[in-house]
Amino acid sequence: MKRKIKSAGIGIILVILLTSMTGCFDAREVDDLAYPMAIGFDKGDNNLLKMTLQLALPVAIAGGSGEEAPGGGGKTSSIVTLEVPAIYSGLNMANTFISKQINLSHVKVIVFSEELAKEGIDKYITAIARGREFRPSMFVVVAIGSAEEYVRAVEPALETNPAKYYEMKLRAFDYTAFTADTRFFKFYHNIKSTSNQAYAVLASIGQFGDSSEISDEKSTFREKGREVPLEGDFIAGDMPKTGDVKAEIMGLAVFDGAKMVGVLDGAETMAHLMVRGDFKYSFSTLPDPMKDGYFVLLGIGQGRAPKRKVEMVNGVPNITVDVFLEGNIQSIQSGINYEEGENLKILEKAVAEFFEKEIMRYFDKTLEYGVDVAGFGQLMKSKFITWDEWESFDWLSRYKDSGFNVNVDVIIRRPGLMVRTVSFPDSN
């Protein structure tokens, strides 16, 4: 009896050992693969699609032997462009001249040209969603002009690893509020949704080669009735900047279904985040309420989630949004003491009115484009019992008739390292 138990135990051990030694017959070494970090799509000249791949050069990124070390200006990526009938056939073609097999598991960003986005990108989005290697966490970007030119213009100044550069750059909405979270899984859900519509980060290449060429001609400040442009009154490509970093992101491309129908500038994007409850923190410049020609600079954050309500009034959607903000004083150009008393109340009221106008301007843009990118349809959908009733209601076509009530509550909590502003002495 003991021999039988012992034999059975040995048999089990042998089975475990044999199965554990089989290994992965289809395993591929990391060194045998090529990893695109960004893929750009343009309308083809000779074929249906122009596809640009930015491939990582791992040895250069790591500073291996034979390559320039990080920070030394060495080339860390290789870019190839080819015209193809479809995405996967293009990858198949690329595998014939790239020495390593392409693996898509490290793609950080998908870039569509503005022209392609306006025609409709549904067939490309569907193909990407089916792919096993594409990660749902990669970002979706629309490039004003050419996607190829944008990808080629990406030359990180502070990062030797382009993949990390994309990750950090496209998460700038955490501290600037001039872009938004447009990861693929969110974008795909939104273009398929019956209750809200999609948006993507807007990107382009800076148009100014020298500081003497900088102009505010394309800024949106004039249509807003401002005397000078504020920091959010631009879209990507029009920012008043020069330098080694040519690639820019600012604003959003908004979609109706899978077709791009318009853009939001940086300030409208900030309002978009506030309305959705995705706003975190940003510096914001506002006109001084008590002295013309001067500005007050605040650090603005979201105090708590906004209150949103949607009701049908006489067959028309009536939308109410209450936004709660908290501010820290960063700079007071006029020297007026806004830190306490009645002046503090005046400043808080002025900031609230400023952002109420910004949010209403954002809503006007969404009505102009006829798109509910703020997702109010999610609230309306909860009022229906059956899916058939909701579909027949057709929220996306009704949104353009909406009316809005916006209330912004602002509390300024901290004055920075100065508890009281005192004007500088003037001998004149």
Side-chain angles (χ1 to χ4, degrees):
M1 186 67 180
K2 289 183 179 180
R3 287 183 178 180
K4 289 182 180 180
I5 294 173
K6 188 175 182 180
S7 299
I10 293 173
I12 292 172
I13 292 172
L14 288 173
V15 170
I16 293 172
L17 289 174
L18 289 173
T19 55
S20 64
M21 291 167 58
T22 56
C24 299
F25 70 93
D26 60 346
R28 294 174 292 180
E29 295 293 332
V30 173
D31 291 345
D32 295 336
L33 302 174
Y35 295 100
M37 297 169 292
I39 304 180
F41 298 108
D42 291 283
K43 189 176 180 180
D45 298 319
N46 305 299
N47 211 326
L48 297 177
L49 187 66
K50 183 187 292 184
M51 185 168 69
T52 301
L53 304 173
Q54 184 182 24
L55 301 163
L57 299 178
V59 176
I61 293 173
S65 59
E67 297 287 348
E68 196 164 348
K75 188 178 180 182
T76 57
S77 65
S78 174
I79 299 176
V80 297
T81 300
L82 59 163
E83 293 210 8
V84 298
I87 294 175
Y88 293 101
S89 57
L91 295 173
N92 210 29
M93 292 168 63
N95 276 323
T96 64
F97 60 84
I98 294 175
S99 61
K100 299 180 180 182
Q101 184 178 355
I102 293 175
N103 182 282
L104 304 171
S105 61
H106 290 280
V107 175
K108 302 299 180 184
V109 57
I110 298 291
V111 184
F112 294 99
S113 70
E114 182 183 14
E115 181 184 19
L116 202 64
K118 286 182 175 179
E119 286 189 358
I121 56 175
D122 47 336
K123 54 188 174 183
Y124 309 115
I125 291 294
T126 301
I128 292 169
R130 288 182 184 272
R132 292 183 178 182
E133 293 181 353
F134 283 110
R135 292 188 180 186
S137 58
M138 61 187 179
F139 287 86
V140 180
V141 169
V142 171
I144 298 175
S146 166
E148 177 190 358
E149 291 178 1
Y150 172 76
V151 172
R152 291 184 180 276
V154 173
E155 296 178 358
L158 302 179
E159 292 292 338
T160 56
N161 185 346
K164 186 176 181 181
Y165 166 80
Y166 282 120
E167 286 183 355
M168 297 184 69
K169 181 177 182 178
L170 291 167
R171 293 200 67 89
F173 57 85
D174 283 338
Y175 50 86
T176 70
F178 294 149
T179 67
D181 186 353
T182 61
R183 284 174 289 179
F184 182 80
F185 72 91
K186 290 188 174 184
F187 183 84
Y188 181 77
H189 172 268
N190 288 338
I191 64 171
K192 294 285 188 179
S193 175
T194 59
S195 55
N196 59 278
Q197 284 145 310
Y199 48 90
V201 169
L202 202 60
S204 189
I205 302 170
Q207 60 175 307
F208 304 115
D210 186 82
S211 60
S212 62
E213 301 174 0
I214 291 178
S215 168
D216 61 12
E217 182 181 351
K218 293 186 177 181
S219 172
T220 57
F221 78 98
R222 294 180 182 87
E223 65 190 58
K224 300 174 182 179
R226 306 201 213 279
E227 295 183 2
V228 295
L230 300 183
E231 61 272 16
D233 296 336
F234 300 92
I235 62 172
D238 298 336
M239 296 171 65
K241 58 167 277 294
T242 64
D244 296 333
V245 180
K246 300 296 183 182
E248 300 176 3
I249 61 168
M250 177 176 276
L252 296 175
V254 295
F255 285 74
D256 184 0
K259 290 185 178 181
M260 175 183 167
V261 294
V263 301
L264 302 176
D265 68 13
E268 291 158 353
T269 300
M270 181 184 290
H272 168 78
L273 296 179
M274 289 179 176
V275 169
R276 286 186 59 91
D278 296 332
F279 179 65
K280 295 184 179 179
Y281 189 85
S282 180
F283 293 117
S284 188
T285 306
L286 303 94
D288 192 306
M290 297 178 66
K291 194 165 185 178
D292 292 339
Y294 288 80
F295 295 94
V296 177
L297 178 63
L298 301 176
I300 294 290
Q302 184 171 279
R304 53 193 171 97
K307 291 183 179 179
R308 301 163 22 127
K309 184 171 66 173
V310 182
E311 295 178 322
M312 295 299 294
V313 179
N314 297 323
V316 174
N318 188 274
I319 298 171
T320 300
V321 180
D322 297 323
V323 174
F324 306 94
L325 302 176
E326 294 183 357
N328 303 321
I329 298 175
Q330 302 293 333
S331 173
I332 303 172
Q333 294 181 351
S334 64
I336 296 173
N337 177 21
Y338 282 117
E339 288 88 347
E340 58 188 3
E342 289 300 317
N343 286 354
L344 177 59
K345 294 179 181 179
I346 291 172
L347 180 59
E348 289 178 337
K349 181 181 178 182
V351 175
E353 291 175 350
F354 176 85
F355 282 112
E356 284 174 1
K357 291 179 181 178
E358 294 292 290
I359 292 171
M360 282 303 303
R361 190 177 292 115
Y362 158 72
F363 283 142
D364 289 341
K365 271 291 183 71
T366 65
L367 294 180
E368 177 187 341
Y369 300 140
V371 293
D372 175 19
V373 288
F376 292 112
Q378 295 286 347
L379 301 176
M380 179 58 70
K381 185 164 60 175
S382 65
K383 301 178 184 295
F384 292 82
I385 297 175
T386 67
W387 181 257
D388 290 339
E389 289 178 350
W390 166 247
E391 281 194 321
S392 63
F393 180 75
D394 194 11
W395 165 256
L396 297 181
S397 67
R398 289 174 180 260
Y399 175 78
K400 63 182 180 296
D401 299 321
S402 299
F404 297 93
N405 301 301
V406 177
N407 303 293
V408 177
D409 180 72
V410 176
I411 298 176
I412 295 178
R413 295 196 178 279
R414 301 175 185 85
L417 294 180
M418 293 185 181
V419 296
R420 181 183 177 87
T421 299
V422 179
S423 299
F424 289 103
D426 190 347
S427 61
N428 297 324

